[in-house]
Amino acid sequence: MSRTTPRRPCDVEALFPALAAHRRTATRLHPRHGTPTAQESSVAGPLLWPADEPWPVCTAGHPKGTGHLLADVRLRRRIEEDASGRELSEDERRLLDGMAVGNHFPELRDDAPLPMLAVAQLLAADVPDLDGQEGHDLLQVFWCPFEVHGPDRTIDVMLIWRRSADVSAVPVLSPQPEPPVVGRTECVPNMCVVHPEQVVEHEYLGLLEEKLQEEISAWEEGLLDDEGDIDNGDMDNSSSPVGYATYEEYEAAMAAARAEQPEEIDYQSDLSIAPGWKVGGYASWHLTDPAPVNCPLCGAAMPPLLTVDTWECDGASRSWLPVEDRDADNPLHAIAPVGVHLGRGLMRVHTCPTDPSHPHRLSFQ
Ligand SMILES: [Zn+2]
Ligand SMILES: [Zn+2]
């Protein structure tokens, strides 16, 4: 089933023609639980990785045997998924209680090469905004699942660009290596198929020229005045609301419900930047002031190549929920399918537009 972002609630370029100069396309990936093949674009699926090539490893020095067993992370998610809406059985509870953070492999040295996690495989044939330059039409994304790298102690991302023709007919590596231990459970993506869909985005409000920002803000205020005192449903998202086990469940239920409600229009939430996993488009700076991301080698401004987001949409950005997901049996599958939470929910990989061999950079929200 494909995924379709609803039409934006108004034509923002008709209202503000100057925005045409601040338009980009992005491809929303719409990851959903599934079992992709190595030939397909996917999140955390098998890769078109030649059998005779070494798998990427992390050689940075950090305690590599200490953390959560990857197998436990997956089993815990399966148990919690099976048990959603009912009490855990005794067996299930015993299994969960047996999972512990610890030094599972004390023999692993800090500098031992640890297989990186396969995070995504994207083909330009599926993802129109995937621009690998020079015929590179296949991107494979890995990360080391410990947030301990570099001065900012972040996740370490590796990008491998290929020409799909080079690997489409060679024997694929099987099984594909994985790290036995991960630093945080939220670094482990669930295996997902993707349903790429190209959408139009407009630059983050705070990065538009001042006059345009003022015009948009004045227009938004006018809309609010028109709505009078309708409850706008703002939420305190600091705790799990009554009736929901987790804040995630609550958010999922709210986003699904609100997708049916009359639109309140807001530039930032509805008309500028799509939430969720995507390729291309703009970076949102809703939690920090905008921070320039420039190439460390040539100084070029680096646009986001890949955005990794905990939420495919939330209460504020509910207008982006695909029409196919409005009646989902389990809204969480549509709203937080991947299970990854980096930074304060969002991590972007930026690449140099001038020279693809220049190192990428990460930004977080
Ligand atoms: Zn590492
Ligand atoms: Zn550069």
Side-chain angles (χ1 to χ4, degrees):
M1 181 168 56
S2 59
R3 290 294 186 282
T4 315
T5 298
R7 273 171 68 96
R8 297 300 78 210
C10 69
D11 180 351
V12 74
E13 283 186 29
L15 289 166
F16 306 102
L19 275 177
H22 303 280
R23 178 206 307 143
R24 263 182 210 163
T25 55
T27 305
R28 301 185 73 190
L29 295 176
H30 298 307
R32 299 292 183 268
H33 296 178
T35 47
T37 69
Q39 281 66 41
E40 294 175 305
S41 294
S42 66
V43 167
L47 303 184
L48 273 173
W49 193 268
D52 59 358
E53 270 189 39
W55 189 261
V57 291
C58 175
T59 54
H62 55 81
K64 296 221 168 86
T66 300
H68 302 265
L69 288 172
L70 180 59
D72 280 355
V73 176
R74 294 195 172 127
L75 181 58
R76 172 180 290 279
R77 289 182 185 178
R78 209 157 53 236
I79 290 172
E80 288 177 346
E81 164 97 28
D82 287 349
S84 75
R86 66 165 168 83
E87 293 275 302
L88 288 170
S89 72
E90 232 168 79
D91 284 350
E92 288 167 338
R93 193 171 299 282
R94 208 170 25 247
L95 276 169
L96 294 183
D97 288 347
M99 298 175 184
V101 183
N103 192 357
H104 299 286
F105 296 96
E107 72 280 12
L108 264 183
R109 297 189 329 268
D110 283 7
D111 61 351
L114 193 74
M116 293 183 99
L117 262 183
V119 171
Q121 168 167 282
L122 302 170
L123 289 145
D126 300 325
V127 182
D129 289 293
L130 190 74
D131 177 13
Q133 302 185 6
E134 296 166 359
H136 291 85
D137 63 340
L138 168 59
L139 174 65
Q140 294 168 329
V141 183
F142 299 83
W143 63 49
C144 171
F146 290 83
E147 289 178 304
V148 293
H149 305 87
D152 297 330
R153 297 186 64 79
T154 61
I155 198 133
D156 187 27
V157 175
M158 180 185 284
L159 306 179
I160 306 283
W161 285 101
R162 300 177 181 276
R163 294 178 178 83
S164 60
D166 294 346
V167 288
S168 57
V170 303
V172 169
L173 182 65
S174 177
Q176 303 199 338
E178 293 190 308
V181 176
V182 303
R184 277 179 61 230
T185 61
E186 295 88 349
C187 296
V188 179
N190 294 320
M191 189 185 287
C192 289
V193 296
V194 295
H195 306 280
E197 178 202 21
Q198 195 172 43
V199 297
V200 169
E201 294 189 338
H202 294 94
E203 177 63 286
Y204 183 69
L205 184 70
L207 289 172
L208 297 170
E209 52 265 30
E210 213 163 306
K211 181 165 170 288
L212 192 49
Q213 285 187 42
E214 285 168 7
E215 287 171 11
I216 292 171
S217 299
W219 171 75
E220 286 176 334
E221 280 167 30
L223 288 177
L224 280 180
D225 291 345
D226 290 347
E227 283 174 12
D229 57 3
I230 294 172
D231 173 18
N232 68 7
D234 278 348
M235 293 179 302
D236 167 15
N237 55 9
S238 57
S239 61
S240 306
V242 176
Y244 294 91
T246 63
Y247 181 71
E248 284 76 6
E249 267 183 42
Y250 171 72
E251 189 70 70
M254 286 302 105
R258 285 167 185 204
E260 302 297 339
Q261 291 179 0
E263 307 285 1
E264 283 165 52
I265 308 173
D266 172 301
Y267 177 79
Q268 178 158 318
S269 302
D270 304 309
L271 303 173
S272 61
I273 297 173
W277 283 60
K278 66 176 184 178
V279 169
Y282 287 104
S284 170
W285 300 97
H286 52 283
L287 295 181
T288 65
D289 284 337
V293 182
N294 297 326
C295 176
L297 292 188
C298 73
M302 300 169 92
L305 170 72
L306 175 67
T307 299
V308 168
D309 199 344
T310 301
W311 305 106
E312 288 299 303
C313 73
D314 63 14
S317 59
R318 62 191 180 275
S319 74
W320 297 90
L321 182 68
V323 293
E324 292 84 356
D325 292 319
R326 297 204 158 177
D327 301 316
D329 294 337
N330 183 341
L332 202 52
H333 285 184
I335 290 179
V338 182
V340 162
H341 186 101
L342 301 174
R344 281 181 276 170
L346 195 148
M347 186 273 285
R348 294 178 286 249
V349 185
H350 300 251
T351 49
C352 178
T354 311
D355 186 334
S357 72
H358 289 176
H360 62 264
R361 291 187 60 186
L362 305 181
S363 70
F364 295 88
Q365 285 287 281

